[in-house]
Amino acid sequence: MAAPKVSVVIPVYNEEAVLPALFARLYPALDALAATYEVIFVNDGSADRSAALLREQFELRPDATRVILFNGNFGQHLAIIAGFEASRGERVVTLDADLQNPPEEIAKLLAKMDEGHDYVGTVRLERQDTAFRRSASRMMNAVRERITRIRMTDQGCMLRAYSRDIVDAINSCREVNTFVPALAYTFAQRPTEIEVAHEERAAGESKYSLYSLVRLNFDLVTAFSVMPLQLFSLSGIAIALLSLTFVIFLAIRRVAVGPEAEGLFTLFGIAFFLIGITLFGIGLLGEYVGRIYEQVRQRPRYLVQAVLEHKDAVSESPKQRQMS
Ligand code: UDP
Ligand code: MG
């Protein structure tokens, strides 16, 4: 039998509280599609009962469920990529496990793809997150819009649909730190966006601390633009020229008016400003160098502990059956 029409990829990290509700809504929503499908759960090293719940669900619906169990916590985006590499559908939909993206909206994404789009992004209609998260992501959206060629309204929403071509292109990338929706966009030929509903997290807590959000946004920026580096060296030149003029001015003033002491603190202020800029610059360089280091090490990007799948699943392709 042929590959399924739709693969749904869901990263799962400590989501035991929400998984039963997710299963209860996801499968009926997909059954209503009238298309063959497979759901690929990627357990990103959860420390709770998530893996056990996924195993139970796999046993309930082995025909349409596949589970990849990671050996540790490699992050949401690498979990999605592992799902992509395992996926066989003509179209691949990504979704968060926490029910913030209603599974009922998948039908809308697929309908939009029927119009000939290979990438369907989404904009959350009434985003149900804290005011801090909302304003921070507005800011990051604006930064990304300016410094990359990626055009999307709401980069944070993971409910998205991609064509097989885009998923294959992503699978051929070897980068370690990445941001899937943006990477996919760079390969899209006819991208579009639709509005989708957004709900509060059904249960459990956000898996992103402030620290990991900052890391994620550095991934987004550094993976798609070297503009921060360029901007830094340009402003470095401007600042150096300005301080040179200032030094010349002070030298002339010393000869003409005599030495000054009152301006000492201004000078301190300026010096600290420059030190600040320098430190930021070194840190920014470090961000890129760190990523180069990770890339050249060529370590495996993630480690799979086990894969739960049915060898005679409906969706298995004849070629794969011969191989197994
Ligand atoms: N997630 C993951 N690995 C991580 C962090 C998150 O697989 O290290 C998954 C998580 O289980 C969820 C999705 O990524 O399915 C989005 O996470 P979350 O809802 O906590 O993020 P938020 O909605 O707060 O941005
Ligand atoms: Mg969430």
Side-chain angles (χ1 to χ4, degrees):
M1 242 170 275
K5 271 251 179 283
V6 187
S7 297
V8 179
V9 172
I10 307 181
V12 176
Y13 181 52
N14 293 341
E15 302 284 10
E16 63 177 2
V18 79
L19 283 177
L22 173 70
F23 300 149
R25 271 177 66 187
L26 178 69
Y27 285 83
L30 292 173
D31 287 330
L33 287 180
T36 49
Y37 67 87
E38 61 177 4
V39 186
I40 303 174
F41 293 101
V42 186
N43 176 38
D44 188 14
S46 303
D48 65 357
R49 290 189 57 249
S50 296
L53 293 174
L54 292 174
R55 183 182 296 270
E56 277 167 27
Q57 180 60 25
F58 165 70
E59 275 155 14
L60 276 180
R61 290 293 302 271
D63 56 314
T65 309
R66 299 162 74 201
V67 181
I68 297 172
L69 302 171
F70 272 5
N71 219 335
N73 182 232
F74 295 91
Q76 179 185 2
H77 290 264
L78 285 182
I80 293 175
I81 285 183
F84 280 180
E85 289 182 341
S87 71
R88 298 174 294 202
E90 268 168 45
R91 293 167 175 180
V92 181
V93 174
T94 57
L95 197 71
D96 281 353
D98 58 359
L99 284 173
Q100 288 198 285
N101 312 131
E104 296 76 21
E105 301 280 38
I106 294 174
K108 271 205 233 164
L109 293 172
L110 298 174
K112 199 72 190 172
M113 284 196 112
D114 289 337
E115 292 171 19
H117 296 284
D118 57 352
Y119 175 112
V120 184
T122 48
V123 183
R124 291 170 279 197
L125 265 179
E126 278 171 41
R127 185 165 169 198
Q128 306 293 323
D129 274 315
T130 59
F132 170 74
R133 284 288 296 268
R134 274 178 288 144
S135 48
S137 65
R138 236 194 322 273
M139 196 187 80
M140 280 316 299
N141 271 302
V143 170
R144 190 254 315 130
E145 199 75 14
R146 274 186 192 88
I147 68 173
T148 70
R149 286 188 300 113
I150 295 158
R151 297 284 160 267
M152 50 184 161
T153 317
D154 185 4
Q155 63 199 17
C157 189
M158 281 296 149
L159 176 60
R160 281 161 200 273
Y162 310 104
S163 71
R164 167 79 351 212
D165 288 346
I166 292 184
V167 170
D168 286 343
I170 293 178
N171 290 345
S172 70
C173 296
R174 303 258 56 91
E175 55 201 87
V176 176
N177 299 290
T178 196
F179 194 87
V180 172
L183 185 61
Y185 186 93
T186 60
F187 299 123
Q189 273 161 354
R190 284 200 63 201
T192 185
E193 280 185 342
I194 62 170
E195 292 186 329
V196 292
H198 192 241
E199 292 170 10
E200 271 187 55
R201 196 173 229 289
E205 296 176 337
S206 171
K207 304 299 174 288
Y208 280 99
S209 60
L210 182 60
Y211 173 75
S212 41
L213 273 181
V214 171
R215 305 290 331 150
L216 184 70
N217 280 296
F218 263 115
D219 284 345
L220 173 63
V221 168
T222 56
F224 298 97
S225 169
V226 287
M227 177 95 76
L229 273 181
Q230 295 166 339
L231 226 130
F232 189 78
S233 41
L234 286 182
S235 54
I237 294 170
I239 291 171
L241 285 178
L242 278 179
S243 34
L244 183 68
T245 352
F246 189 58
V247 169
I248 294 171
F249 164 76
L250 282 183
I252 297 173
R253 192 184 179 280
R254 202 186 166 93
V255 176
V257 200
E260 55 117 23
E262 290 95 298
L264 195 61
F265 289 102
T266 330
L267 204 57
F268 264 124
I270 294 165
F272 284 139
F273 172 69
L274 292 182
I275 292 171
I277 302 253
T278 317
L279 285 178
F280 176 71
I282 294 171
L284 192 63
L285 270 176
E287 291 289 335
Y288 282 94
V289 174
R291 280 166 177 73
I292 295 170
Y293 178 53
E294 285 186 352
Q295 199 69 50
V296 298
R297 272 190 317 213
Q298 295 266 336
R299 290 202 186 149
R301 293 183 297 169
Y302 52 80
L303 296 172
V304 175
Q305 193 170 51
V307 177
L308 308 180
E309 65 183 358
H310 202 277
K311 278 298 163 202
D312 303 311
V314 190
S315 41
E316 198 173 53
S317 71
K319 212 164 101 214
Q320 275 163 324
R321 191 164 310 147
Q322 277 163 18
M323 291 189 311
S324 57

